[in-house]
Amino acid sequence: MTIGNALTFIKRGMTDEVLRKSLNMSEDMGGLEQILKRENLMFSFHEFDEAFNHRLVQCQEEQEADHLKEFKLWWILLVQMNQGKRVKA
């Protein structure tokens, strides 16, 4: 697992509708992890946060930052639904 994988996930996840649909269809954390593993995108929650913060400081426009924040919110909600419990943002 690497921050690089998390950066790639954010980049792909924000533009790849097929990947998002696949992740949305998962029923549990095992399903999410299986999809990420298949796509060679395994990362930890800490690595995701690091990658998110890295991308956020690179945003040049408020709209770009808002889109990135919306993506993070989608990911957190998806993880929470699949875990069946709350995850710290």
Side-chain angles (χ1 to χ4, degrees):
M1 293 193 257
T2 67
I3 293 173
N5 285 354
L7 285 166
T8 301
F9 170 71
I10 291 170
K11 182 178 180 179
R12 281 194 54 204
M14 291 180 69
T15 59
D16 187 339
E17 187 176 328
V18 173
L19 176 62
R20 285 193 316 273
K21 282 184 180 183
S22 179
L23 291 166
N24 282 331
M25 293 180 66
S26 64
E27 295 182 13
D28 56 24
M29 283 306 295
L32 278 179
E33 290 172 358
Q34 185 177 30
I35 294 165
L36 294 174
K37 186 175 183 177
R38 181 182 70 227
E39 297 291 328
N40 198 28
L41 295 172
M42 293 296 293
F43 53 86
S44 69
F45 293 116
H46 176 73
E47 290 164 339
F48 178 85
D49 282 339
E50 289 289 321
F52 169 80
N53 290 330
H54 177 76
R55 288 287 306 268
L56 187 60
V57 298
Q58 292 179 333
C59 293
Q60 295 181 1
E61 298 178 8
E62 186 176 352
Q63 184 178 16
E64 183 182 4
D66 288 344
H67 185 62
L68 180 61
K69 290 174 187 176
E70 288 172 5
F71 178 79
K72 180 180 181 181
L73 180 59
W74 165 80
W75 176 244
I76 289 169
L77 291 173
L78 183 64
V79 169
Q80 287 177 354
M81 285 179 11
N82 283 287
Q83 283 185 335
K85 61 181 179 181
R86 295 205 58 150
V87 176
K88 292 183 181 180

